[in-house]
Amino acid sequence: MEKLADAAIQITTKNGGGSTPNCVATDKAIGKLSAAAALFVISSVKILVMIKTIASKAYGPMLLEGTGATLVMVLGSTVCAYILGLPMGVLLRVTDRGGIMENRVFNSVFGWIVNILRSLPFIILMVALFPFTRLIMGKIIGTAAACVPLTIAAAPFVARLVESSLSEIDNGVVEAAKCMGATNGQIILRVMLPESLPSLMVGGAISVVTILGYSAMAGAAGAGGLGDIAMRYGFHRYEPKVMILTIILLIVIVCLIQIIFDHLAARVDKRNR
């Protein structure tokens, strides 16, 4: 590929041999761009051939199964994390200074608990939760068992994202709801959450992508999925093609997640209506 790049540069620069210095410099720049484009095309073709070769072997069904296990872990853990993290984030916001249920002592203590849980590296938290995972799921390995540490690790992260989204709401909207006689529950459910929905959607994309990264680490610890495949075949068996393909699959999943949540955020945003 390096020879192809040099050839592309030489061919392009020869075309401007009798030109002025500025033209020669321009021709050299165009030659380099052409070489880079050629390298990109060749690399893309090689990747496509590699994907076709791997998919045609026994790795295809295995990668498909691993992708399914990863999606199950991510989606299940995301739902559970929001079941726990959404009320936590609401509590953090409404009990903060200027909140509708201001309680500085509770907010400080609860905030410290959330921060402590957020500060634990996932792989350490996962190992520390093995007894709790075994108590709930009856086992510590597998896709279903991985959802327990994934949920507990993601819930504090979700709580802070929810708190940040709710903090963006104009206080005038909340005050108007109070003047109309709305209760705290009505303000939370009918004013704060609906008004912050676009920001919550953006935070949802961040949460899902973060949990996807956690799931890869969980896979390396026996949870299955693409992380497990990358470790067993890409690392332990020294098969770099499998490693590269798992990376490509993860990139595609992340891009799809971002596109979906960006679309949802645009749909629910009142400014786009």
Side-chain angles (χ1 to χ4, degrees):
M1 287 191 294
E2 292 179 358
K3 292 181 178 179
L4 178 62
D6 293 337
I9 294 174
Q10 291 175 4
I11 291 172
T12 313
T13 51
K14 282 180 179 179
N15 293 333
S19 305
T20 62
N22 290 335
C23 293
V24 172
T26 303
D27 290 340
K28 286 183 177 180
I30 295 174
K32 291 179 180 179
L33 290 175
S34 301
L39 288 173
F40 176 77
V41 171
I42 292 173
S43 301
S44 301
V45 171
K46 285 190 173 183
I47 290 173
L48 291 174
V49 172
M50 180 190 69
I51 292 173
K52 183 178 179 181
T53 303
I54 294 176
S56 63
K57 296 181 179 179
Y59 296 128
M62 178 187 66
L63 288 168
L64 184 62
E65 182 181 354
T67 303
T70 296
L71 292 176
V72 169
M73 275 192 292
V74 171
L75 296 178
S77 301
T78 301
V79 172
C80 295
Y82 266 87
I83 291 174
L84 294 176
L86 185 61
M88 291 168 62
V90 171
L91 277 176
L92 286 170
R93 178 64 192 104
V94 299
T95 59
D96 199 3
R97 178 184 297 176
I100 59 176
M101 300 169 59
E102 183 175 345
N103 189 328
R104 300 300 302 281
V105 176
F106 174 84
N107 185 270
S108 298
V109 174
F110 191 54
W112 272 105
I113 294 173
V114 171
N115 290 337
I116 290 172
L117 292 174
R118 284 181 62 201
S119 66
L120 297 175
F122 174 72
I123 195 69
I124 296 175
L125 179 64
M126 183 178 180
V127 174
L129 289 173
F130 275 166
F132 182 67
T133 303
R134 188 188 300 274
L135 178 66
I136 295 178
M137 307 300 298
K139 57 183 180 179
I140 60 174
I141 61 174
T143 302
C147 290
V148 176
L150 283 172
T151 299
I152 295 176
F157 181 75
V158 170
R160 286 300 185 185
L161 288 176
V162 172
E163 179 193 16
S164 177
S165 297
L166 296 176
S167 299
E168 297 175 3
I169 300 174
D170 188 0
N171 289 330
V173 177
V174 177
E175 292 298 328
K178 283 183 179 180
C179 294
M180 295 174 65
T183 63
N184 290 337
Q186 290 173 333
I187 292 174
I188 293 171
L189 295 176
R190 298 185 181 182
V191 178
M192 296 180 69
L193 290 177
E195 288 292 326
S196 62
L197 199 54
S199 180
L200 289 174
M201 288 296 177
V202 175
I206 298 173
S207 300
V208 176
V209 172
T210 301
I211 294 174
L212 179 64
Y214 288 165
S215 72
M217 288 186 279
L226 292 175
D228 178 45
I229 294 172
M231 285 297 296
R232 285 193 292 118
Y233 291 88
F235 180 71
H236 294 299
R237 298 189 185 183
Y238 304 103
E239 297 186 24
K241 292 182 178 179
V242 179
M243 176 72 78
I244 292 172
L245 192 53
T246 55
I247 293 172
I248 293 173
L249 287 172
L250 289 170
I251 292 172
V252 171
I253 293 172
V254 169
C255 292
L256 289 175
I257 290 170
Q258 192 65 54
I259 291 171
I260 291 171
F261 276 91
D262 286 345
H263 177 71
L264 292 175
R267 287 288 300 272
V268 299
D269 195 340
K270 295 179 181 179
R271 295 171 295 182
N272 296 331
R273 296 178 184 175

